[in-house]
Structure formats: structure tokens, C-alpha cells
Amino acid sequence: APAEPLEEKGQVAPYICQRRTPLLHHNTALTDALETMAEEARFCGSDVRSLAFSRAASVLKSLPWRVKRIQQLHTVPCVGEHSQRIIQEMLEDGMSAEVEQVRQSERYRTMKLFTKIFGVGVKIASQWYQRGLRTLADLQLHQIKLNLEQQAGLLHYEDLNTPVELWEAEAISQVVRKAVEQISPGATVTLTGGFRRGKPCGHDVDLLITHPSEGQEMGLLCRVISILDSQGFLLYHSTHRNSLPSLEDEELWVSDHSSTMDHFERCLSIFHLGDLAGSNQGGAGAQKLGASTGSGASSLWKAVRVDLVETPYSQFPFALLGWTGSRNFERDLRRFSKHEKKMTLNSHGLYHLEQKIFLPAASEEEIFQHLGLEYILPEERNA
Ligand code: TTP
Ligand code: MN
Ligand code: MN
Ligand code: MN
């Protein structure tokens, strides 16, 4: 066995952003169980409980060794009593009766089914469950009113719940890049989200659009969307024009929502990934995009969720850091900034609350430096 790991001697840092969390780790069975509990708590509207399970799962992902005895966790932070009970059950029996009971419960299964519809959150799913709905067909039977987003989500339910592969994400990035360059040479398209963290597949494609001359990015997203639409790539899109407020307005940085604020122009869309019948090997996707005529057999094409975001160049490093995730990593990064550094961090910038100054950055590395944190690579942010 390797030397007794440091982590067993109380060396695990309390904040996720102070730790390296790889995609593949040593405690998958335990973290799957804890994440089921976190999801179940979220389905019940217990966000605090959900966060506790989520934090316990995150810390186990960062351990460079496999947990074999519960005593090994005594000096590891963020593992609460209930999480410890689940872990103990798993270590002793290879499974947790409590987790299995959740997984088989009608409520959990139904909530899972409904929240997997694009545009449906815990609140709506919960209402449907209360009304006695149990299947997707029940939505039609009960003539449930759906908004456009949810209608698209239901129509493409299967496709949107089939993982998006890296080659598909790259093919879509390339299509967007072509449209962007056509409108504004010099503008760039960056693949972010889970794929930037090294995930081989994901639930959507997250793309950031910017232009090196500040101001040139304005209106770009809107025009890109209209080109893509006219080229037949879009099955659904909805643009949110959150006009960018002046960052000089201090209220933005001191309010309760300052660290979750995201005022970028953005588009939630569903792409039509054409003719997948042939090869789906690396890189070949780009030429195949858009090749089908649309309403045909689902085996010939696939619907893929794409998030498009337009950002001014001066805010790009902050947007990149904010959109790379994971959500758990982002949450702790912002919590650390506020509580340990008296700074507000969001996808637009970093503001020192006591000195009342902005801390500009030209790269993610500089943001970590401002916060006094060691740089964590995107691949190490899979908390
Ligand atoms: P997601 O696309 O939801 O998650 P992901 O890319 O990590 O995982 P998956 O592979 O399943 O797609 O979110 C990516 C990041 O975008 C996440 O860290 C939070 C950020 N984000 C915002 O900053 N604002 C928003 O409104 C949304 C929806 C996401
Ligand atoms: Mn994503
Ligand atoms: Mn996304
Ligand atoms: Mn389809």
C-alpha cells in the first residue's frame, strides 16, 4: 500500500476551489450514492440538505485514495452525520438500503422523469406529481399547458437525454464559429462547460462568443442566431436580452444576488445535428451537420441543447471561469471570495468590497492570483 496519505492527517482543504477534483476518482460508488441523496433532497425542496450531500460527494471525489474505513474520514471536512451513515452502510454492505429505497420510490422516479424535460424544474415537476401525473403520456392526457421551451423539451425528450459526445460538441462549435466569422472576422467561439473540464460527454454544449476589440461583440449573438436559423440548424431558440448594467453600480456587487448575477446576452437553443446515420468518428461530424431535411426518422438526426453566450472581451476570463463549472466548484469559488477575501466574484468581474475597486484579469490564472488561490486546471474542477 502507498504511504499513509496526507489527507488522513487533516490536510483536506475546506473549500472545493482549494482542492483538485479530477473527473475519474477512487470513490465512485460512494459519490453516486451521496449524489442520489442530494438529488432526492433537491426534489423535496430541501436545498440545505441537498448541498450537504453534494459537498460530501465533492470532497470524496478529491481524495487521491479509496475510502475503506469510516475512520479514515474523521479529519476530512464536509462529511456530515447523515453522509457518514450512508458511507458506512456502503462500506459494510456494498450498498445502502436508504439509497436503494430512494431510487425505487415512485416520487423520486417520477421527479427524475419530469425534471429531465428541458424547461421543467423541481417546482413544476412537483406540482404535476401532486396532481397524480406519473408518465410523459399523462401530460397529454391531462392536457397540461406547456410553454414553448417545455413543448420543445417534450418533443425532443429522447434526444435531449442522450449524452452529447465530444465530437458532436466540436462539430457544433465549428458551425457556430463559421457563422460568427462570417459576421465579424476576429470574433472567437470557445467551448466551455463540462467539455472544457475534459468530460467525454455532456447534457449540452456551452459556447462563449467574444471579440478582441471591446464593443465589437455587441449584437453578434443576435445575428449569429439569425444566420444559423436561416441555415436550418435551429429546432428551438430563445434569446434573453439581459441588457448589461454598468458594472460601476455598487449595488450590483453588494446585493444578495451579486455572486450569481449573469447579465450576458444569451441564447438557449436546440440544434438540429444532421444525418448521423453514417460514421460518427472524430471530426467527421462537421460536414454532416444540417444534412437532413428535418422531420425525418429520429435515427437520421439528433436534437442537441446548446447554450450560446456573448461577452465583452474585458469580462471574458470571468465568463470563462463562470461557465466552465462545475456548479459545485463555482459555488465554492464565490463563497470563498466573499467570506475569506471580502470580494464579490461573478461571471462579469471581481470586486473588492472594502477597497471598493475592481480587480481586472486577462486570464483565469490572474483571477486565482487575485484570490490568493493556487491555479486549478479546468480538468481539476470536476467537483
Ligand atoms: P451546465 O451546462 O448546466 O453544466 P456542465 O456543462 O457542467 O455539465 P453538462 O456536461 O451536463 O452540461 O452549466 C455549465 C456552467 O454554466 C455552470 O458552471 C454554471 C454556468 N451557468 C451560468 O453561469 N449561468 C447560467 O444561467 C447557466 C444555466 C449556467
Ligand atoms: Mn454543459
Ligand atoms: Mn449549459
Ligand atoms: Mn430526433
Side-chain angles (χ1 to χ4, degrees):
E4 193 76 345
L6 281 178
E7 282 72 7
E8 289 189 36
K9 301 190 180 96
Q11 301 289 310
V12 183
Y15 287 93
I16 289 171
C17 57
Q18 298 170 308
R19 310 192 291 251
R20 296 174 200 282
T21 313
L23 188 59
L24 300 173
H25 58 90
H26 308 273
N27 295 291
T28 313
L30 298 179
T31 59
D32 284 351
L34 293 170
E35 282 176 341
T36 297
M37 295 302 289
E39 192 176 35
E40 159 72 3
R42 199 169 59 81
F43 288 163
C44 296
S46 317
D47 291 346
V48 173
R49 233 160 44 80
S50 179
L51 198 55
F53 284 123
S54 216
R55 288 219 171 102
S58 284
V59 78
L60 297 191
K61 291 180 190 178
S62 76
L63 301 177
W65 41 275
R66 187 160 72 86
V67 177
K68 289 178 191 144
R69 292 169 296 117
I70 195 76
Q71 292 79 3
Q72 292 174 298
L73 295 176
H74 278 170
T75 56
V76 171
C78 313
V79 186
E81 251 177 70
H82 199 164
S83 293
Q84 284 191 34
R85 273 207 315 275
I86 304 274
I87 294 167
Q88 185 139 27
E89 260 191 296
M90 294 287 296
L91 294 175
E92 283 172 7
D93 310 332
M95 57 99 84
S96 153
E98 190 176 357
V99 172
E100 288 314 311
Q101 200 180 339
V102 164
R103 284 184 182 147
Q104 271 146 43
S105 80
E106 188 173 29
R107 186 181 150 86
Y108 176 82
R109 292 162 74 118
T110 310
M111 288 295 288
K112 189 122 181 145
L113 179 81
F114 289 157
T115 53
K116 275 162 65 183
I117 303 173
F118 171 47
V120 176
V122 167
K123 226 176 121 184
I124 295 168
S126 198
Q127 284 167 10
W128 292 347
Y129 184 78
Q130 308 285 299
R131 289 182 58 174
L133 311 192
R134 294 294 180 269
T135 66
L136 296 181
D138 284 347
L139 297 174
Q140 264 130 10
L141 279 174
H142 288 70
Q143 298 181 311
I144 298 292
K145 276 214 193 86
L146 301 175
N147 64 28
L148 291 175
E149 192 174 80
Q150 296 158 349
Q151 284 172 31
L154 195 56
L155 189 61
H156 303 292
Y157 189 84
E158 281 223 11
D159 280 1
L160 298 186
N161 286 294
T162 304
V164 184
E165 290 174 43
L166 180 59
W167 74 268
E168 295 172 319
E170 278 169 348
I172 288 170
S173 308
Q174 205 45 45
V175 164
V176 175
R177 201 166 284 130
K178 255 177 99 177
V180 164
E181 282 165 358
Q182 194 179 322
I183 299 164
S184 182
T188 61
V189 175
T190 307
L191 178 59
T192 171
F195 289 110
R196 185 159 179 262
R197 301 197 307 273
K199 282 175 64 179
C201 53
H203 99 282
D204 70 353
V205 181
D206 304 288
L207 297 173
L208 292 185
I209 301 174
T210 191
H211 193 292
S213 1
E214 189 90 355
Q216 283 291 302
E217 82 289 346
M218 272 160 66
L220 198 52
L221 179 58
C222 209
R223 295 168 69 193
V224 169
I225 294 299
S226 86
I227 289 191
L228 293 170
D229 203 16
S230 71
Q231 290 173 335
F233 283 118
L234 300 181
L235 291 163
Y236 170 86
H237 64 99
S238 123
T239 307
H240 298 252
R241 281 188 199 77
N242 295 330
S243 60
L244 206 57
S246 164
L247 299 187
E248 307 299 323
D249 181 355
E250 214 206 353
E251 191 47 37
L252 286 179
W253 302 93
V254 300
S255 81
D256 285 351
H257 304 291
S258 58
S259 64
T260 48
M261 119 174 146
D262 186 335
H263 292 277
F264 294 122
E265 178 106 359
R266 77 166 76 165
C267 179
L268 306 184
S269 72
I270 300 177
F271 266 57
H272 180 282
L273 192 60
D275 193 6
L276 303 181
S279 126
N280 61 358
Q281 292 310 301
Q287 299 98 295
K288 292 181 179 290
L289 270 166
S292 102
T293 51
S295 62
S298 61
S299 62
L300 292 179
W301 57 275
K302 180 182 177 185
V304 178
R305 273 269 301 110
V306 180
D307 285 334
L308 297 161
V309 186
E310 168 188 301
T311 111
Y313 201 65
S314 62
Q315 297 172 23
F316 182 75
F318 297 97
L320 184 62
L321 181 59
W323 280 79
T324 296
S326 69
R327 282 170 194 280
N328 286 336
F329 187 88
E330 300 297 331
R331 194 190 300 105
D332 260 24
L333 196 55
R334 291 164 192 211
R335 197 167 60 98
F336 176 86
S337 305
K338 186 172 177 206
H339 293 109
E340 305 297 326
K341 300 291 162 176
K342 307 274 180 279
M343 296 180 195
T344 299
L345 172 71
N346 59 37
S347 289
H348 298 278
L350 181 63
Y351 183 77
H352 199 298
L353 291 161
E354 282 172 354
Q355 296 171 16
K356 298 186 186 295
I357 52 165
F358 290 100
L359 298 158
S363 65
E364 285 183 322
E365 283 87 340
E366 284 185 32
I367 303 172
F368 281 86
Q369 272 168 26
H370 284 318
L371 293 170
L373 287 169
E374 262 182 64
Y375 181 62
I376 308 288
L377 289 166
E379 294 80 4
E380 301 167 329
R381 299 179 203 163
N382 286 293

